[in-house]
Structures are given as C-alpha cells and as structure tokens.
C-alpha cells in the first residue's frame, strides 16, 4: 500500500511542529512509519510505502513554491514547472490534464493544493489535527493520527444505499476523517481548508449543443492511446531476483508460488472488449511493450497476456475462445491461469487489511491467483463499462433534451429481450416520470422506501432497467439491516433532501457519476487486497483525460445497444487493429453470478461461523440470525441478491481485520494512538444519541 500524507498548520511553528514532525504525547516527534520526506516544515509532506523512484517527482521553483507528483504522469519536468507557475495564481484544472494516473500536490507559500481525480480511484482525505488540517491519500493513517472511532452512520449508509452520494456524503468509515468528492481539490491556507471543484459546470437551463460522434470517439481513441503510451514510456522494473530453483517447478511456477510478477509489461486478456483493447494497444504501439530479454519467460519483447480459466464454473467458453484468437497476435505471449474450487469467491477469507471496506474483499484471492502470473506492470480493463456504457437513467436525460427518437433502439432491444409488447410503454413511462421528478423528491422517495422496508423490485433485464430509472434506490444489502439502521439512513436522506433545494441535475449523468465513483473505490480496495509485491495495476480507463473524453460522448450514441464494443472497435481500427474474432464485444455476466453462487455454497459453513457473533450486530446494523438465514437460503439456491450478501460479508471481514491489527501508521506515538482504540462497543439502538 502506498500513500502520501502531510499537514498544514495554523502558523509556522504552531502546535509544537518542528523537524518535519509534531510533538507527541511524551515529547516525541511524530512522523509516518516507512516514509520519505518530500519537503519539510511548516507544512511537511511525506511519501509512504514502496514507491518506485520514477513514481515520485518533486520540482522546485524556489524555497516557497514546489510541486510533487506521485504516480504515473506523462508530463515532463518542464511541463510540471510551467504548471507550478500557473498554479501560483490559484488555477488547478491544468494540474489534472496530464496523461496518466497520479496525485499532484502544489505548495505556494503557505497555500497547499492537493488534487483528487475525476473517477475517485486516487482519493484525497483530510481531518482536523493540531489546530490545522492533516491530509493523505489514505484514510487509515489519518484515523490512526487522531484515534478516530468508527462512523456507524457511514457503515449503515454503505449497506443501505451504496450508490447514493447523498447518503455517503463526504464521510469515511472513520469518524471525523473526510474525503473530497471526485473532480475536486483540497486547498489549505495556513491550516484552514477549502474544497474546490475544478471541472466546469454545464448549464442546465438549455440542452448542451449536440456533439459530433466521430470527433468524440476519436478523442476517446487519442486519450486511451496516450494513456497506454505513457505507461510504456515509463522505466521497466525487475522484481527481486529469483532466489533459486525448486524441484519440479519451472521459472513461471516458481515466481507464482513466491508471489513474484514477471518483469516487464503485461495485460489481462479475458476475451471481453475492454481488456482486449488495452492488450492489443499495448502490444501494437511502437517501442518495447513486453517482457525483458533474459528475465524469465524467454518471450523477448512480447506482451504477456494473462487469461483466467475457471474450471469450477462453466459459461465462459466463448470468451476463452475469443481470448485465444486474440492471443494469436505474434506480439502477445499468452498464459492461461486455471482455477478450481480454491479460487471461487469466499474460498479464502484471509487477507490484508485494506484502507476501506469493499465487496472486492470476497473475491480478492480469485484475482490474486491471476495477477500472480502477471507482469510487474499489468493493464486491466476496469472502469470501461462505467465510463463508456449508458446508465439506464440516461434515457430520462434524452427526454429532458427532447431527443425522444434516440430511445427507439435501446427500448426495442429491451422489448426483444423480454418478449413483451408492453415493454416500450413501461420504459418510456418510467423515463418520463424520472425526467419530471426533482432530485429532492427522489431522495424523499428513497427515504420512505427504507423506512417502510420496501425492497421488492421487478426481475430480469427489463426489471433492472425500470428499477434503475430513479434518482436513488436501496442497496442490495438493505433488506437485511435492522430497522434502527434503516431509520438512521432514512433520517439522513431526509435532511439531505431538505438541504438540496430543487437539485437541478440530470438524473442519468448523476447516476453514472455515482456508479463510476463506487466502482473506482472498490477497485482501490481490490488493488490493496490482491496486491502482489513489486506489481502495479494500471486502469487507463480511469485516467482523468480518458474519463473526460468518455463524458463528451453523445448520449444518443452511448445508449445504443452494443455501444461500448462499437466504440472500442473504432478505437482499435484507428490504431491499425482490424482482425478481431467473431463475437468480440458480446456481453457475458452469467459466469460471474454462477461463480458467486458456487463459492457461497462451498463456503457456507465458514460464513455461518463468521456470523455466529458478528461485529456488525454489535454495531447495531444487522441481526446475526437474519444474516445466517440469508446465507443458508442463498446457498440452497434461493433467488436472493448475491451482491448484497457480498457487501455484508466483506464489511464483516474488514471490521475483524481492522480490530485485529496491531501497531499504528505513525512513530512517536503511544501504542494507543491508532484507529478505533477501544473496539466496537455494542449498541442497543443505532438511533441512540451519542451511540
């Protein structure tokens, strides 16, 4: 896990700050464990963790003006210097327009500016401390610093309404530690903090001018190619040397057994359009995209393409065939990783503590098995669906803009899938109601549903689309929460609705941004839970510039059936790749659901033991018997929302790992200076004042 941390004090020398640290309880100097100091007092900044040398850059204009960029950034030092000069006047947005995925921190006198990203994959957190403000790109170090307890209201909202920003607000699982929203920057002036948005806000009074679809797709292609090229231009990294042979094991098996990635660059190749696009782009761009000569595979400069073949679940045969056809490219070296019951979801419930909880915790071991055969720099297609696909609520946006004719093809596709002639009228009616419903009313409807425990929704593709045609909806785990927890979230939503006013927003754009933020947060959890030493996962679809280009795609293009595959096919054709296998881009989700159900069935007994005395029950969020009954029912094949059970189980796992940890992220503090120092105190009611 890698993060940066710093603080801004109210005045130079205040709060006992000195020698790039603060005075602790017994007069010690407080600083992060395993850190490197980027600049010192009065507003110090550290980089913590196993950062590579090329991932940390600091450019100085003078003693009072400097910029630090941590991560993969395609800007040259001269471009960073020019960006620093521009930022001295208060401009921020240009700091987020360089290719790559990074965090930029600018110091101009006593003003500190920390830029978050658009997707939320590289968040920024802050908390009051020592009369000023401490900030970091991870929440747990700040929670340790201030000895924060758990925020039970946030945990309840995380289960009851995980896709609703109004429920989650800017809170974190740690009480008092806040996050800045995606698309914003944290500005600190001598300890005082301000949250500033850096993206222009479109007018909602009139419809946006129609965008040219061809130019928009060309922009996606250009930014995606530049994102991949930026990674290829970075220095190659060779993990720690192999300590020696093991009888009966080849080099690749030995590396995987020891958790060592292959030197060089590789990519996932699942057979889907997103990973296939990145693999073909990385293999086809000029340069040396693949493994290093003399290090392992003997594949020369061919790109290492990794495909996961689940032997325990069927249903992905067509995708595997497409992956094999793509791997026939002479610049790809194809490796197939097989997994049986030991790689099913829930099969391995042990793992490292992550910064925050997320449903990816229950499948981390499954991903780790694949990534162990990957490269030191590994491309993944995560985020493509969220930035390219149309959320069903975008149909209401088309009605707001008076573009009804563009609803014909998506509604016709739903009608064919359902086989009912009533589908067009139902979908159009739901989209029309959403287009005429204010944001405030949407929050009030959700608050009422939670209070009255109304969670039944229609099934099937049409049912899912109809349920998504709303400003907000309950999370899949909400049905298993206690009445007190649901009431607490309901009261919170009512208060947010009262503060929101009319809430003039486009419902489709609002829902799409919320879905992207949730996916990016869960991907961050997955990176930490499935981390392989010396490996970096790259998700170019979540880069700022790629997200911007995708947001400029016309909605009329985005809502058409098969739009994502068509856009990525055009991207590849523009890059010179035309020989794609038949069926490329066909959606396939059945195997994921089948794997989740098979894993739940195989791990039913350990999961029942996990919820014998759950911490979630001590927190007043669930009743143990209710969750145990749901696990038994789901394992028996009843049609329960499996993603809701994944949310519950992953949160329980995270709480247990958090309370079992020892030590702290800081030196110079007593052993009690860590997050949740007194553990979870059982609560009789989630609504009890001061609980």
């Amino acid at each position: 896990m890698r993060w940066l941390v710093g603080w801004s004090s109210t005045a130079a020398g205040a709060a006992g700050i000195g020698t790039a640290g603060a005075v602790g309880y017994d007069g010690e100097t407080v600083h992060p464990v395993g850190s490197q100091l980027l600049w010192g007092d009065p507003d110090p900044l550290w980089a913590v963790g196993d950062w590579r040398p090329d991932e940390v850059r600091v450019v100085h204009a003078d003693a009072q003006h400097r910029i630090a960029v941590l991560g993969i950034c395609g800007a040259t030092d001269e471009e960073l210097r020019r960006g620093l000069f521009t930022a001295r006047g208060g401009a921020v947005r240009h700091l987020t327009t360089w290719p790559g995925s990074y965090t930029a921190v600018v110091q101009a006198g006593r003003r500190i500016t920390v830029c978050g990203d658009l997707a939320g994959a590289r968040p920024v957190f802050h908390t009051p401390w020592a009369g000023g403000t401490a900030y970091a790109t991870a929440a747990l170090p700040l929670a340790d610093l201030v000895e924060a307890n758990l925020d039970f209201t946030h945990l309840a909202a995380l289960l009851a309404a995980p896709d609703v920003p109004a429920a989650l607000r800017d809170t974190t699982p740690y009480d008092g530690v806040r996050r800045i929203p995606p698309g914003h920057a944290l500005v600190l002036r001598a300890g005082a903090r301000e949250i500033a948005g850096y993206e222009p806000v479109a007018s909602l009074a009139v419809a946006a001018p129609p965008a040219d679809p061809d130019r928009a797709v060309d922009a996606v292609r250009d930014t995606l190619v530049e994102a991949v090229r930026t990674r290829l231009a970075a220095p190659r990294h060779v993990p720690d040397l192999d300590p020696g042979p093991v009888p009966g094991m080849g080099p690749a098996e030995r590396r995987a057994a020891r958790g060592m990635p292959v030197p060089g660059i590789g990519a996932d190749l699942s057979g889907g359009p997103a990973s296939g696009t990145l693999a073909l782009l990385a293999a086809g761009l000029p340069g040396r995209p693949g493994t290093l000569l003399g290090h392992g595979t003997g594949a020369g400069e061919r790109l290492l393409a990794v495909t996961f073949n689940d032997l325990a679940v069927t249903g992905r045969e067509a995708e595997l065939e497409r992956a094999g056809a793509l791997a026939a490219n002479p610049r790809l070296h194809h490796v197939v990783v097989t997994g049986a019951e030991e790689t099913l979801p829930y099969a391995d419930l042990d793992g490292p503590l992550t910064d925050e909880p997320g449903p990816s915790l229950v499948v981390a071991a499954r991903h780790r098995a694949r990534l162990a055969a990957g490269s030191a720099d590994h491309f993944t297609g995560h985020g493509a669906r969220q930035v390219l696909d149309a959320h069903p609520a975008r149909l209401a946006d088309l009605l707001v803009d008076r573009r009804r004719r563009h609803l014909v093809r998506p509604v016709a596709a739903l009608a064919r899938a359902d086989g009912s002639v009533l589908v067009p009228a139902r979908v159009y009616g739901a989209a029309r109601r959403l287009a005429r419903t204010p944001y405030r009313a949407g929050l009030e409807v959700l608050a009422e549903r939670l209070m009255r425990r109304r969670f039944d929704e229609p099934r099937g593709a049409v049912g899912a689309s109809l349920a998504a045609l709303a400003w907000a909806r309950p999370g899949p785990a909400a049905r298993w929460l206690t009445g007190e927890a649901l009431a607490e979230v309901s009261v919170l939503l009512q208060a947010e609705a009262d503060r929101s006013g009319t809430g003039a927003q486009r419902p489709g754009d609002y829902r799409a941004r919320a879905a992207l933020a949730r996916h990016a947060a869960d991907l961050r959890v997955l990176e930490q839970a499935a981390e392989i030493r010396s490996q970096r996962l790259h998700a170019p679809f979540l880069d700022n510039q790629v997200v911007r280009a995708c947001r400029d795609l016309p909605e009329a293009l985005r809502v058409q059936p098969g739009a994502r595959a068509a856009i990525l096919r055009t991207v590849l054709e523009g890059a010179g790749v035309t020989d794609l296998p038949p069926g490329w881009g066909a959606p396939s989700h059945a195997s994921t659901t089948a794997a989740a159900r098979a894993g739940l069935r195989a791990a039913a007994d350990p999961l029942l033991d996990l919820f014998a005395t759950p911490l979630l029950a001590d927190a007043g969020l669930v009743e143990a018997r209710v969750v145990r009954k749901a696990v038994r029912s789901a394992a028996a094949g009843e049609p329960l929302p499996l993603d809701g059970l994944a949310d519950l189980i992953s949160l329980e796992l995270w709480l247990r790992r958090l309370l079992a940890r020892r030590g702290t992220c800081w030196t110079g503090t007593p052993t009690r200076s860590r997050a949740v120092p007194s553990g979870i105190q059982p609560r009789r009611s989630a609504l009890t004042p001061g609980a």
Side-chain angles (χ1 to χ4, degrees):
M1 184 173 170
R2 293 162 297 281
W3 40 280
L4 62 87
V5 63
W7 54 66
S8 176
S9 58
T10 53
I17 294 178
T19 63
V23 176
Y25 297 100
D26 300 323
E28 317 94 328
T29 298
V30 177
H31 62 272
V33 175
S35 61
Q36 55 174 313
L37 183 66
L38 301 185
W39 60 62
D41 293 327
D43 303 313
L45 176 67
W46 292 272
V48 185
D50 60 336
W51 292 96
R52 294 171 176 173
D54 59 288
E55 291 177 330
V56 180
R57 288 195 288 166
V58 181
V59 174
H60 297 258
D62 52 52
Q64 296 297 318
H65 298 84
R66 45 203 169 187
I67 180 173
V69 175
L70 290 90
I72 300 294
C73 179
T76 64
D77 287 352
E78 184 57 34
E79 289 175 323
L80 293 181
R81 190 170 286 107
R82 289 199 300 267
L84 172 59
F85 290 146
T86 306
R88 290 190 301 182
V92 173
R93 187 178 187 273
H94 69 285
L95 302 176
T96 69
T97 59
W98 297 310
S101 178
Y102 55 88
T103 301
V105 184
V106 173
Q107 183 183 49
R110 294 302 312 282
R111 187 181 70 214
I112 302 291
T113 303
V114 191
C115 298
D117 66 337
L118 287 175
R122 302 184 71 92
V124 178
F125 305 89
H126 62 91
T127 189
W129 183 72
T133 300
Y135 62 90
T137 54
L140 181 57
L142 297 183
D144 279 347
L145 186 64
V146 300
E147 296 185 348
N149 286 308
L150 289 171
D151 186 339
F152 295 108
T153 302
H154 176 86
L155 298 181
L158 204 58
L159 295 173
D163 294 324
V164 184
L168 299 177
R169 299 165 294 158
D170 63 345
T171 57
T172 68
Y174 313 101
D175 189 22
V177 179
R178 305 281 175 155
R179 81 172 71 236
I180 67 169
H184 288 69
L186 175 66
V187 182
L188 304 173
R189 294 180 177 88
R193 61 187 174 275
E194 174 189 354
I195 310 298
Y198 55 74
E199 284 295 281
V201 179
S203 173
L204 296 173
V206 295
D212 182 6
D214 294 335
R215 289 190 177 183
V217 175
D218 288 345
V220 173
R221 180 199 62 210
D222 294 342
T223 55
L224 199 56
V225 168
E226 189 62 28
V228 174
R229 183 180 286 119
T230 298
R231 271 85 170 181
L232 295 179
R236 297 293 189 269
H237 292 272
V238 178
D240 296 337
L241 294 179
D242 193 335
V246 175
M249 282 190 178
E253 295 172 319
R254 193 163 62 240
R255 267 193 306 271
R258 289 170 173 166
M260 295 172 57
V262 177
I265 293 181
D268 284 339
L269 188 62
S270 66
S275 63
T277 297
L278 294 179
L280 293 173
L281 285 179
L285 290 177
R288 299 182 301 172
T291 57
L292 303 182
L293 283 169
H295 289 284
T297 65
E301 298 299 338
R302 291 193 289 167
L303 187 86
L304 180 65
V306 180
T307 299
F308 181 73
N309 183 13
D310 192 349
L311 302 179
V313 177
T314 60
R316 294 191 62 241
E317 291 77 9
E319 279 195 4
L320 293 175
E321 289 180 7
R322 288 194 290 270
L326 291 172
N329 188 313
R331 299 198 72 178
L332 291 177
H333 175 62
H334 195 209
V335 173
V336 178
V337 178
T338 58
E341 292 186 357
E342 70 277 1
T343 60
L344 284 172
Y346 308 101
D348 184 0
L349 299 182
D350 293 328
L353 172 66
T354 56
D355 191 43
E356 296 181 277
S360 287
L361 290 180
V362 300
V363 294
R366 184 178 180 84
H367 288 276
R368 194 182 303 117
R370 182 188 82 254
L371 296 174
S375 299
D377 288 277
H378 199 76
F379 285 100
T380 69
H382 287 285
R385 179 177 292 109
Q386 285 70 29
V387 298
L388 290 173
D389 284 12
H391 193 282
R394 287 192 184 272
L395 297 178
D397 292 359
L398 291 174
L399 292 180
V400 171
D401 294 338
R402 300 181 182 277
R403 298 175 183 173
R404 296 178 179 85
R405 63 186 180 89
H406 297 296
L407 273 68
V408 174
R409 288 184 60 191
V411 171
L414 286 173
R416 287 193 300 270
D418 188 77
S420 172
V421 296
L422 301 178
V423 168
R426 295 170 62 197
V427 173
Y428 180 82
R432 188 180 181 187
R433 283 193 299 273
L434 176 58
R436 296 183 175 187
T437 302
Y439 172 65
R440 174 177 180 174
L443 292 184
E444 291 174 344
V445 169
L446 175 60
E448 180 72 12
R449 289 189 64 180
L450 293 178
M451 187 69 77
R452 297 186 179 277
R453 303 185 69 91
R454 299 207 316 265
F455 306 121
D456 293 334
E457 292 178 346
R459 302 182 185 277
V462 175
S465 297
L466 291 174
L469 283 166
W471 279 106
R473 56 187 291 194
R479 67 191 63 219
W480 295 303
L481 297 186
T482 61
E484 291 84 356
L486 291 174
E488 189 171 13
V489 179
S490 178
V491 170
L492 171 64
L493 288 170
Q494 289 281 7
E496 291 295 315
D498 293 339
R499 283 194 291 266
S500 67
T502 58
Q505 307 177 64
R506 295 184 187 277
D509 184 64
Y510 169 84
R511 291 295 305 274
R513 290 174 188 249
L516 174 61
R518 189 189 184 203
H519 176 80
D522 192 45
L523 176 61
R524 181 169 172 263
V525 171
L526 176 63
E527 288 178 342
Q528 298 168 10
E531 186 176 23
I532 302 295
R533 183 181 178 185
S534 302
Q535 186 180 69
R536 297 290 188 272
L537 297 185
H538 300 281
F541 285 103
L542 298 181
D543 287 5
N544 282 343
Q545 289 299 82
V546 178
V547 172
R548 286 190 177 103
C550 293
R551 285 181 177 174
D552 290 339
L553 290 170
E555 294 198 357
L557 169 65
R558 194 191 296 267
V559 299
Q560 303 309 317
R564 172 163 41 106
I567 292 171
L568 294 180
R569 185 185 294 272
T570 305
V571 167
L572 289 175
E573 289 175 352
V577 180
T578 57
D579 52 341
L580 297 175
W584 185 84
S588 171
H589 306 294
S591 61
T592 302
T593 303
R597 191 170 296 280
L600 194 64
R601 186 165 52 249
D605 290 339
L607 292 177
L608 292 175
D609 293 340
L610 180 71
F611 282 93
T613 54
L615 296 175
L616 287 174
D618 292 341
L621 302 182
V622 302
E623 293 183 14
R625 61 175 182 83
V626 172
V627 180
R628 289 197 299 269
K629 179 181 177 182
V631 170
R632 293 191 191 97
S633 300
E638 292 188 20
L640 295 177
L642 301 183
D643 47 352
L645 283 175
D647 290 343
L648 281 173
I649 294 168
S650 59
L651 183 52
E652 177 68 23
L653 289 173
W654 181 81
L655 288 173
R656 289 175 180 263
R657 294 173 190 177
L658 177 65
L659 297 187
R661 72 188 285 250
R662 295 292 181 266
T664 174
C665 295
W666 300 84
T667 62
T669 63
T671 55
R672 68 179 183 275
S673 181
R674 65 174 185 265
V676 199
S678 57
I680 296 180
Q681 303 299 322
R683 301 195 305 168
R684 295 177 55 189
S685 171
L687 296 176
T688 301

